[in-house]
Amino acid sequence: MEIISYKDLKNIVKTGDVIAVAALSTGNLPMEILKHLAEQHDEDGATDNLTFIVSNDISDFDDGFDLDSFVSRGMVKRIISSLIIASPFTIEAIKNNEIEAYFLPQGIIATHYRNHASSSPGMISKIGLNTVVDPRHSGGKMNNVTEEDLVSLIEINDEEYLHYNFPAIDLTLLRGTYADEKGNIFMTHESHLGEGFSAASAARKNNGKVIVQVKEIIESGRFNPSDVFIPGELVDYVVVNKNPKYHKQVIQTYYEPALAGHHRIVNPKEKFLAFSVRKIILRRSSQFLKEGDAVSVGYGINNELSNVLREERADHLVRLNIDTGIFGGMIGSGNHFGMNYNLDARMRHDMTWDFIFNGGLNVAFLSFAEIDSSGNVNVSKFGDRMNGSGGFIDISQTVKTLIFSGTMVVGAKSACENNELHIEEEGHSKKFVDTVKSLDFNAAYSRELGQRVYYVTERAVFQLTEDGLELIEIAPGLDLERDVLRQMDFKPVISKDLKSINQNIFQEKWGELAQSIKE
């Protein structure tokens, strides 16, 4: 291991390099390394034609350095990711065919490094079959200039699989809290662990380099050797952070001990959600929970599920999981998603996907952008947005019970009175459409997998059947034809036993969730 200055980066990073970055938003993001690489390009214009592989979205949603910093400078040839939200310039470049882009499942990206780090033919998995990732659809290619096939369909023992052929890693950029004098990396202050070990191993397998940004160099032997996250033998270079702005634990703060699991807080940091349509949806969807369930919490409306469970004093009845490797605790809502207090455990990002792929979860709460008459779901393309699906495909093809949650019509305004829902102003865009724009969840394949699938909105609840989407509940106070069926591009099967959604959830205070979960 060699301690270097940021100026030395220009002698290490080369034109055409394939670069792996193991981070989520600001968490684990080696932003000061990215900053200097971009600024050095401003000086000499030397490093370009780069490929970035990132399993998740990276940014501090501020004025930091992310994918946009490189794409806007013309440094990028190709991006392989699962999700891009915080880099609008990059998305426009993809739309305009200025760079190559693949959106592949997050869990596949996070775990593929191990396959490159061993004598393996690449990543072989059933994850992604019969979705937009399947080469019979788009193979994850996001525009016309993206031509190379990274995903192929193969058969093993008469069963279909996808073969993911990722490019070999030339350079892995990582972040830790400390490095000791031997180059061992510790994640002491980080909010999650990431897949950095595997990404470092993959670079070493390809005779590539590993650079780690840390806060400080510490004396060898100062910490417990069991706390080493990446052994020094896998680390080529270490750079020491100079500006705390570029080494934030999460978007909102440089370092909060409770977010690293160093102590537990007594009082929640967040207020309970205000009574709203979103709260109604979460109340109804949470009624599908059973005591002891291991629950995957997705991004979007469902990142507020923990908040509702806490308010109802039901959070102790289930075990929440975020696919970054966080288990239990208080999961932050809205812009605080990923800020997890009082967590029970955390593990490497890639190991978390092992847990998920091997049946560790009972139920998943996922969002939707569009649903069609067959029950297919699009979560990655809506309006003029094209942001990828993150871990949606991995999870939705693994967990036995799926709850898709969201409002029924974009832009609608509603209110509750006397425990009834009333539509005050109809919305402008339907979410229940004839054909989804992106096949992120394949309902027919889900039936083959034997999954139970529900779709929860504030107006109605549907379930997936052999005949497609079936309406099983309607909100009290609504007219079936006017408020539900006319707001769909197709007519669903209507249950012969159509029920009213429990009217008690349509009021300011509820208090019945804990009992519901126990039943």
Side-chain angles (χ1 to χ4, degrees):
M1 182 274 293
E2 180 182 351
I3 301 172
I4 63 173
S5 71
Y6 287 100
K7 292 182 180 180
D8 295 323
L9 293 171
K10 64 182 179 182
N11 301 318
I12 302 170
V13 184
K14 300 178 177 61
T15 291
D17 274 352
V18 176
I19 301 175
V21 180
L24 166 61
S25 189
T26 298
N28 294 1
L29 185 62
M31 192 176 294
E32 198 156 14
I33 293 178
L34 300 180
K35 172 181 182 292
H36 281 271
L37 290 178
E39 290 178 346
Q40 285 170 14
H41 183 271
D42 293 341
E43 296 177 5
D44 55 32
T47 307
D48 54 21
N49 206 36
L50 302 173
T51 292
F52 278 92
I53 302 179
V54 290
S55 66
N56 219 319
D57 201 27
I58 57 172
S59 180
D60 67 351
F61 292 86
D62 192 5
D63 59 349
F65 287 77
D66 51 25
L67 294 176
D68 277 359
S69 306
F70 292 86
V71 173
S72 63
R73 287 171 166 83
M75 300 173 68
V76 177
K77 171 191 174 183
R78 173 187 291 180
I79 290 175
I80 302 170
S81 184
S82 72
L83 182 71
I84 300 177
I85 296 175
S87 301
F89 190 96
T90 299
I91 290 295
E92 288 304 310
I94 295 172
K95 291 179 181 178
N96 296 332
N97 287 301
E98 296 170 10
I99 58 173
E100 299 175 23
Y102 300 81
F103 280 156
L104 302 178
Q106 181 189 135
I108 293 295
I109 298 176
T111 56
H112 93 274
Y113 297 112
R114 295 193 307 238
N115 295 72
H116 273 285
S118 63
S119 54
S120 168
M123 189 74 182
I124 297 174
S125 175
K126 286 183 175 290
I127 298 298
L129 280 172
N130 305 301
T131 71
V132 66
V133 174
D134 193 312
R136 291 170 292 191
H137 294 276
S138 75
K141 302 173 187 175
M142 298 310 299
N143 57 21
N144 294 331
V145 298
T146 307
E147 297 180 348
E148 183 180 355
D149 294 326
L150 297 188
V151 189
S152 57
L153 183 69
I154 64 174
E155 282 195 6
I156 301 176
N157 296 331
D158 297 323
E159 289 192 50
E160 291 183 340
Y161 292 84
L162 295 182
H163 177 223
Y164 293 87
N165 186 27
F166 289 86
I169 305 300
D170 298 307
L171 182 67
T172 293
L173 304 180
L174 301 174
R175 193 182 91 185
T177 304
Y178 302 114
D180 69 14
E181 296 162 323
K182 296 180 180 179
N184 296 311
I185 304 299
F186 298 84
M187 305 293 282
T188 314
H189 292 175
E190 308 307 315
S191 59
H192 72 287
L193 295 181
E195 66 272 21
F197 172 84
S198 295
S201 299
R204 182 55 58 89
K205 172 65 166 54
N206 191 44
N207 296 316
K209 301 297 182 182
V210 177
I211 308 175
V212 186
Q213 173 183 316
V214 299
K215 291 182 178 181
E216 184 182 347
I217 306 296
I218 62 172
E219 180 183 0
S220 294
R222 178 175 168 184
F223 288 160
N224 189 324
S226 297
D227 293 336
V228 172
F229 182 65
I230 303 174
E233 288 76 9
L234 288 178
V235 178
D236 295 287
Y237 305 104
V238 169
V239 290
V240 179
N241 170 245
K242 302 297 183 183
N243 186 343
K245 175 180 178 180
Y246 301 117
H247 204 108
K248 292 190 293 185
Q249 183 188 43
V250 293
I251 295 170
Q252 294 84 354
T253 185
Y254 175 65
Y255 172 55
E256 162 60 69
L259 295 177
H262 294 158
H263 68 77
R264 301 175 74 85
I265 63 173
V266 176
N267 298 313
K269 297 283 186 175
E270 294 182 344
K271 296 179 180 179
F272 294 132
L273 297 179
F275 183 59
S276 64
V277 165
R278 293 172 70 88
K279 195 168 190 175
I280 290 169
I281 294 170
L282 288 166
R283 285 174 170 177
R284 177 60 192 96
S285 62
S286 62
Q287 288 178 302
F288 287 106
L289 291 170
K290 299 299 180 185
E291 188 170 4
D293 275 349
V295 185
S296 175
V297 179
Y299 187 70
I301 184 174
N302 292 298
N303 70 22
E304 297 172 328
L305 176 64
S306 177
N307 191 304
V308 170
L309 288 168
R310 285 194 294 107
E311 182 179 10
E312 290 289 318
R313 299 183 179 181
D315 51 318
H316 65 288
L317 298 175
V318 296
R319 295 168 293 151
L320 302 184
N321 165 263
I322 298 180
D323 53 44
T324 55
I326 302 299
F327 293 80
M330 302 175 186
I331 298 175
S333 301
N335 292 332
H336 294 86
F337 188 61
M339 297 179 67
N340 305 289
Y341 296 92
N342 297 359
L343 48 118
D344 298 324
R346 66 175 183 169
M347 65 173 64
R348 285 167 30 187
H349 188 204
D350 46 335
M351 291 176 64
T352 305
W353 287 108
D354 294 335
F355 167 81
I356 294 171
F357 292 158
N358 286 286
L361 296 171
N362 302 108
V363 56
F365 283 72
L366 303 167
S367 300
F368 67 85
E370 293 179 328
I371 298 169
D372 67 20
S373 60
S374 298
N376 300 320
V377 178
N378 160 32
V379 74
S380 62
K381 287 185 178 181
F382 46 98
D384 61 352
R385 300 183 65 176
M386 178 176 65
N387 57 350
S389 61
F392 178 95
I393 292 175
D394 313 82
I395 293 171
S396 66
Q397 292 193 336
T398 306
V399 181
K400 286 300 182 183
T401 300
L402 303 174
I403 315 296
F404 296 107
S405 303
T407 56
M408 190 163 189
V409 183
V410 178
K413 296 181 181 179
S414 57
C416 293
E417 185 178 349
N418 297 324
N419 290 38
E420 292 184 341
L421 182 68
H422 301 282
I423 309 302
E424 297 182 323
E425 182 179 326
E426 197 48 86
H428 52 77
S429 299
K430 297 177 182 178
K431 292 187 178 182
F432 287 75
V433 297
D434 289 324
T435 305
V436 293
K437 293 180 182 177
S438 181
L439 187 57
D440 300 319
F441 170 76
N442 187 309
Y445 185 51
S446 173
R447 290 196 296 270
E448 290 182 27
L449 297 175
Q451 295 173 309
R452 293 184 298 165
V453 184
Y454 300 94
Y455 310 80
V456 180
T457 76
E458 78 282 17
R459 304 187 192 195
V461 179
F462 304 84
Q463 68 179 1
L464 181 62
T465 70
E466 289 295 328
D467 297 320
L469 216 61
E470 180 184 24
L471 174 64
I472 59 173
E473 294 179 15
I474 183 173
L478 296 188
D479 179 83
L480 175 61
E481 179 64 32
R482 181 192 65 225
D483 299 321
V484 177
L485 299 182
R486 287 184 193 171
Q487 309 312 317
M488 307 173 70
D489 286 343
F490 60 89
K491 185 174 182 179
V493 176
I494 300 177
S495 172
K496 296 178 181 179
D497 188 28
L498 180 63
K499 293 182 171 61
S500 175
I501 299 175
N502 181 351
Q503 66 177 11
N504 292 334
I505 70 174
F506 295 89
Q507 59 185 340
E508 187 78 27
K509 299 294 182 181
W510 182 29
E512 299 176 7
L513 179 57
Q515 186 58 41
S516 172
I517 293 175
K518 291 178 181 179
E519 292 176 351

